[in-house]
Amino acid sequence: MALGILRTGQMSTLNPDHVPSFPILQLEYDGEMVTLDRIIVEPATGTSPTDAGVQAVAQKAADLGLDAVRVRVTTPDGVHMMVVSSNGEAVDATAPDTASGRSRSKRVLVILAACVCAVALATTGVVVGQIVIDSNKEPVATAPPPIPGNGEAIPVGLPTGFSPEATWSVPIDSATQPTVMSNGNVLTTSPDGTLRILDEHRANTVWESSSAPSGAQKIAETTWRGRPVLASFSGRKLTLWPLDLPDSHNVPTVSIDAGATAETSFAGAAPLLDLGDYTVAVPAQESGLRRLSIPPGTQAVAAGTDLIIAIGDNTITHTAITSAGTDETIDFDRPKGTRGAPSTAVGLTDTRALVTWQSEKSATTALLNTRNGDILSTIEGDPSIGQEQPQVDREHSTAIIGPYFIDLSTSSPAIVDLDLASSADTTLADHHVYTTNADGALDLGIKGKKVVPEQWKTLADDDPAPVSVSSGAAYVIADKVDSSILYRAPRTTQEKP
């Protein structure tokens, strides 16, 4: 068995800068057992667990058709990055400690040695590496940093039930829209263009990436082959930001060329790119995108983990993406007075779509259950949404798109026309829509099919509505001379059920 030692600073033919930023394999070692992407690696006789783990990484890189992959190594002593080639060469890819200015060889968490061992497997040679990690010193507990802007007066008027004193405030990029995520934390873009997720209570950064999209480009929280990601589509490029990496700072992006422009839906469990000509693109099982055809005459509305959902004349088609999916056609009865295929069909969730039929003199819009074909609610009219994306509150099963508020529940489904033609800054939260129009700042409460408006007092005529509202707070933006500040206004009262 040939043995070589690869140390920091030693020449290598493997350049980490040339290795794709995605996928990142997860190699974990607890001192006894090694797992690769949470699957136990069983060492062969005479092979150490660490050798077997890196050998498994090299084999997986080969199976994926990649020359090399990135690997996040977790041991009892810490976490670091490396890259491993399909022929077994392993090199350190951990970023230098820029805060202290230390080089790779001097940082606390270092790779002391990467042993490249030629091991015979059947008729081929596989090179494996052993990673030895220096022990970290126990961290010294420190007091949490102060909360920025805690107790500041918020310089815009707020709806009833929210405090005028901020929990926190932070500067943001004025061209972007903050978003409350499913776990309550807040996605923002800082003035320097860094994409950040802030803790909802203290505003400390819990995740960040230096590669933020430009301008008001929509970012959605979704999944990619079962992994949680942020996703955004612009031009021909789909950009992904992984949310499940152990190191949540300076998270790398993954860019995928769709090969064409597309309309994007994040209604289902995964991104759906409608390329036109009855062709869609969805996540491929290994890497990149997979193009699939949908039945002619249908409109794709959502992509699930295993299915593409499309709506036609009076049918819903399920097209299998994986072996777990089943091709299926579901018939449904169109609303009375409608004919032919719908003019528009927009996915709201993986089981709900808003569908509109146009006639010469009128239009009918329906809420459709895409799982079984039930028409849940109808309304006379057309939302005229164009390229607008719906706002969906999944926790409370509500949505708005165009002028329509939609109750998505099975117990009380409804479509309600809010008459928002002259409104701006529209924000959905539960059964409330916050907006501003010629009548002032309005909280539109929806009870069944009844709209109960309540006006709130503003400090200036141009005060905006909250940009996002969660169960615990409203988030508002105020301009301060040459900057934009995001304020968290905590709830002071909870709405009665």
Side-chain angles (χ1 to χ4, degrees), residues 335-338 355-359 362-366 378-382:
K336 291 181 180 180
T338 62
V355 187
T356 300
W357 287 264
Q358 289 279 3
S359 66
S362 64
T364 300
T365 296
T378 61
I379 191 171
E380 294 301 312
D382 178 1

Side-chain angles (χ1 to χ4, degrees), residues 35 126 165 168 171 179 212 218 226 230 293 325 332 364 428 431 448 451 464 478-479:
T35 61
V126 178
E165 291 188 0
W168 49 256
T179 304
K218 178 180 173 61
L230 299 174
S293 296
F332 69 90
T364 300
L428 171 71
H431 284 68
V451 181
D479 291 331

Side-chain angles (χ1 to χ4, degrees), residues 433-453:
V433 175
Y434 301 94
T435 188
T436 58
N437 61 19
D439 295 325
L442 294 174
D443 171 3
L444 304 177
I446 298 93
K447 298 180 179 180
K449 291 193 174 183
K450 183 180 180 181
V451 181
V452 181

Side-chain angles (χ1 to χ4, degrees), residues 223 267-272 282-283 302-309 321-322 350:
T223 62
L272 171 69
V282 294
T305 304
D306 305 304
L307 295 169
I308 298 168
I309 302 167
I321 301 173
T322 70
D350 54 358

